[in-house]
Amino acid sequence: MRMAELSAEAGVPVPTIKYYLREGLLPQGVRTSATQAHYGDSHIRRLRVIRALVDAGVSVAGARKVLATLDEPPDEVADLLGAAHAAVAPQGEDEIPLDDARRLAERLGFRPGGCETERIADVARALDALDRAGFVIPPDVMTAYLEGVKTIATAEIAGVPVDTPEEAVRYVVLGTALAEPLLLALRRMAEQIAAAERFPSGT
Amino acid sequence: MRMAELSAEAGVPVPTIKYYLREGLLPQGVRTSATQAHYGDSHIRRLRVIRALVDAGVSVAGARKVLATLDEPPDEVADLLGAAHAAVAPQGEDEIPLDDARRLAERLGFRPGGCETERIADVARALDALDRAGFVIPPDVMTAYLEGVKTIATAEIAGVPVDTPEEAVRYVVLGTALAEPLLLALRRMAEQIAAAERFPSGT
DNA sequence: TAATTTAGATAGTGGAACTATCTAATGATC
DNA sequence: GATCATTAGATAGTTCCACTATCTAAATTA
């Protein structure tokens, strides 16, 4: 298939496809001459994934990392997850206290070596931001956060398909990035439902 | 306090403060003459909240909505939550099928009137994005998502302080926006911990 | 009086994600 | 085989966003 058809199939403008090619998000097609190349179904699928990532709020640079991990996955699941997380998590350089975050990690069942420091730092940064805004999360709510994410994460990891490595990689890498908007949307929906129960329409 | 001091106290550059004033995120100070105004502690606190929102990934336009809700909150909790959600949720115009999202809402305990359609549409959009990427969430994992967000949302709503309306408003509005990065970071951490248990360092 | 500070207006910057144009070479069609 | 459309690759331009800088006239402070 040629560029025009790829564009039509995937619903992505030609200049944008060229941009993704330049940025290394989409592999080159098979060259048939100096000014022609042709593309296959894998390109269509890849384009759909790119759009999904970008729509999910992942930057083009982040999407490149995610896709690079998909293409050349590390062998160990922990490393795979680490790469997926590194591509998606916001990064900051500044030093922040990790103690509170570490305590939360322990409450989640953390054991030394069971989780990279960078993820603890993520949590620490989020806590720090809350703190700087003067916002305090009630202890009971924090406990529920831990319980909720534990439920979620345990099921996600239990759901990693072990039949073929490709499936596992796809599941872990894309699941990390693409499920985020869904989880946030589900939380908002659940909040409204819970609010309707507690405050039945009258304050 | 004058502009320079406000800037120093809040750690925000003067031009940025002026920008926030222009954009209506920060209320004007009390004018003492044609070229002077002075600011109070409320301005410092407000600036910290603005920075926290922006750091949390909320756009300046979104932050303006969040702050407007803080300043003039609706009376009903449901409306308050709705306004906070509307300010934070990604918005899309296109028509998408709501059926799957509605089914999830029902599994969360939805009852007609218990949740605005816009939140269901959010979920629907997230599901659609997953779908377009060809990514399928295993049923067990989706069940865990529902259970997890239900745990989280129930505790959050139960934690709404009812002593003073101001507290309730602050809790609902800021909690909606500021807890998002924390939840995502906690999920990533929990995933790594769960992965370390299931795949103990050797695929 | 002189130096500093400020409000308000206007304009400029840098990054991100596209989008457009151009050229030379191909491929498809008449 | 002439003509017209298409393409790769290069380069440049656009739009939006969140700032950041400059300027002026007035006011404050030293």
Side-chain angles (χ1 to χ4, degrees):
Chain A
M1 149 182 32
R2 303 197 307 179
M3 180 61 90
E5 195 179 347
L6 176 61
S7 168
E9 286 294 322
V12 177
V14 171
T16 305
I17 295 178
K18 287 185 168 193
Y19 168 67
Y20 292 152
L21 283 167
R22 282 200 300 281
E23 291 293 317
L25 303 194
L26 189 65
Q28 301 290 334
V30 179
R31 293 298 295 273
T32 61
S33 81
T35 60
Q36 302 279 291
H38 70 260
Y39 308 90
D41 288 353
S42 66
H43 287 89
I44 297 177
R45 286 195 299 274
R46 174 67 77 116
L47 274 173
R48 292 201 220 279
V49 171
I50 294 170
R51 288 325 273 250
L53 287 170
V54 169
D55 289 353
V58 180
S59 66
V60 166
R64 180 172 35 231
K65 287 189 210 165
V66 170
L67 296 167
T69 308
L70 265 189
D71 293 337
E72 287 184 38
D75 287 339
E76 306 245 340
V77 172
D79 296 339
L80 184 62
L81 204 50
H85 285 166
V88 165
Q91 55 234 7
E93 359 276 67
D94 41 348
E95 291 292 310
I96 27 153
L98 299 179
D99 290 9
D100 289 346
R102 247 193 282 267
R103 257 187 294 279
L104 294 179
E106 274 158 26
R107 291 174 65 187
L108 279 172
F110 170 80
R111 237 158 288 284
C115 161
E116 287 145 46
T117 0
E118 197 39 52
R119 284 328 112 212
I120 296 180
D122 279 356
V123 172
R125 270 190 290 272
L127 290 174
D128 189 53
L130 260 337
D131 200 55
R132 273 179 285 122
F135 188 83
V136 178
I137 293 179
D140 288 355
V141 175
M142 184 62 90
T143 300
Y145 282 180
L146 294 176
E147 195 187 326
V149 298
K150 182 157 192 150
T151 299
I152 288 167
T154 303
E156 285 177 318
I157 297 302
V160 174
V162 287
D163 315 331
T164 74
E166 296 82 44
E167 255 186 287
V169 167
R170 189 177 156 82
Y171 174 86
V172 169
V173 175
L174 293 185
T176 293
L178 296 181
E180 290 195 353
L182 174 65
L183 283 168
L184 296 180
L186 284 174
R187 172 190 172 225
R188 288 191 294 266
M189 192 162 83
E191 281 179 348
Q192 295 210 345
I193 291 170
E197 274 174 27
R198 181 171 176 201
F199 306 101
S201 143
T203 295
Chain B
M1 149 183 27
R2 303 197 307 178
M3 180 61 89
E5 195 179 346
L6 176 61
S7 168
E9 286 294 321
V12 177
V14 171
T16 304
I17 295 177
K18 286 185 168 193
Y19 168 66
Y20 291 152
L21 283 168
R22 282 200 300 281
E23 292 294 316
L25 303 195
L26 189 66
Q28 301 289 336
V30 179
R31 294 296 297 272
T32 60
S33 81
T35 60
Q36 303 279 293
H38 70 260
Y39 308 90
D41 286 353
S42 67
H43 287 88
I44 298 177
R45 286 194 300 273
R46 174 68 77 120
L47 274 173
R48 292 201 221 279
V49 171
I50 294 170
R51 288 325 272 251
L53 286 170
V54 170
D55 288 353
V58 180
S59 67
V60 166
R64 179 172 35 229
K65 287 190 210 166
V66 169
L67 296 167
T69 308
L70 265 189
D71 293 337
E72 286 185 39
D75 287 339
E76 306 245 339
V77 172
D79 296 339
L80 184 62
L81 204 50
H85 286 165
V88 165
Q91 56 234 6
E93 358 276 69
D94 41 348
E95 291 292 309
I96 26 155
L98 300 179
D99 291 9
D100 289 345
R102 247 193 283 266
R103 256 188 294 278
L104 295 179
E106 273 158 27
R107 290 175 64 188
L108 279 172
F110 170 80
R111 239 156 288 284
C115 162
E116 287 146 46
T117 1
E118 198 38 51
R119 283 328 113 213
I120 296 180
D122 278 357
V123 172
R125 270 190 289 272
L127 290 174
D128 189 54
L130 259 339
D131 200 54
R132 274 179 284 122
F135 189 83
V136 178
I137 293 179
D140 287 356
V141 175
M142 184 62 89
T143 301
Y145 283 180
L146 294 176
E147 194 186 325
V149 297
K150 181 156 192 148
T151 299
I152 288 167
T154 304
E156 285 177 317
I157 297 302
V160 174
V162 287
D163 314 332
T164 74
E166 297 82 42
E167 253 187 289
V169 167
R170 189 178 156 82
Y171 175 87
V172 169
V173 175
L174 293 185
T176 294
L178 296 181
E180 290 195 352
L182 174 65
L183 283 168
L184 296 181
L186 285 175
R187 171 187 172 229
R188 288 191 293 267
M189 193 163 82
E191 281 180 348
Q192 294 212 345
I193 292 170
E197 274 174 26
R198 180 170 176 204
F199 305 100
S201 140
T203 295

